[in-house]
Amino acid sequence: MCESMEAYKTWVRRNKDYVHSLESLANGLTWLLPERFSTSEIGPEAVTAILGIVTAINEHIIDTTRSERHPGSADPLSFPYGLCISALKDLETLVEVVAEQYYGDKKWNFIAATEAIKVIVRLALFRNSGYKMLLHGGETPNVEKSSDDTGSQHRIGGFPRPGGHHHGAGLLQNNHGSNPWTIERRALSVLSRFGESARMVSDPVWFQRIQQQHAIMAPPTSVIKRPTLSMILSEKGVNGALFVLGEILFITRPLIYVLFIRRYGIRSWIPWFLSLGVDFIGYGFLSHVTKSRMVEREQWFHLSASEKDEVKRRKLLWALYLMREPFFSKYTRQKLASTESLLEPVPLIGTLTSKLVELIIGAQTRYTYMSGS
């Protein structure tokens, strides 16, 4: 079994372009499945979920190869959190469809259980990553780019350490911009290999001195300690607590939404407003700790480029509230219908609009639950 898995990993790594082409073709063919499985939605959803999981596994294998080639970009976490979260997201739609067909309104128990598992995995990732912002719900590792490695030595969870300076690299360069470690390291490497071949019972005194010099001259390996919650709270104070709380709200919001739907029903405004309120509060905390000028400079949170993109992505997800019940039935559906009636007489545009509206309504009806996480 292990040998077969290793052979598959090797094949994927050697043929990654071919694998991506196969995945794109397979995903395109899934659009034809509903016609063939018209009696049940379980068939197409099962195929889609399996393809999604296989795609996630292949991407994880390819990303692992990149991490091995570039150790600086490796994900320090041993457990594949991103792969696990991707698999759960692919399975949750299948869980909803199966539970809908066999259990009716009790499907929310199964959806809540799925969301609870996702919350546990994401909280574990949030903690083990040093309380960094989750990118794409944890599917994308939040690691520093190579160009930021120097600055990352003075960062905790995406913001600089107080008192951190960036002059260390200059100490390793001479006036001509060259690195003196290179020549010394070459010479010591040659002498070390010669000394190893000449050594018999014990090392000569001169070789011991060279080894000591090599140990002294070798640049120290930077070990970045993973921040803990107490470290963040002690260095960032209230802002640190608000940042952590904002991320926890983002992680737990889908579960809160499902639990209140389970309690009050999909047509109730309580889950809708509560979920929207949790989103606004979490974003308010994040906006305060990254943009507020009312606190000391060392307590600011400086987001990386990928984290800024993640904030924009989360704001775009608010558009899903237009597709969630009961807002969709009360307002969105009526607007779509009026737009369709207005553009229906226009050649081509009317046909395309009708197909688009049908697709949107079908997707909303088919997936009554949209977590948006």
Side-chain angles (χ1 to χ4, degrees), residues 185-199 206-207 210-211 214:
R185 200 176 291 139
R186 283 182 177 179
L188 290 173
S189 178
V190 172
L191 289 174
S192 297
R193 286 197 297 268
F194 175 78
E196 285 289 343
S197 60
R199 182 172 53 186
W206 62 268
F207 185 69
I210 289 177
Q211 286 182 320
H214 178 58

Side-chain angles (χ1 to χ4, degrees), residues 56-71:
I57 293 174
N58 291 338
E59 288 297 326
H60 177 72
I61 293 173
I62 295 173
D63 290 341
T64 303
T65 306
R66 293 171 185 164
S67 300
E68 291 173 355
R69 291 178 180 177
H70 306 283

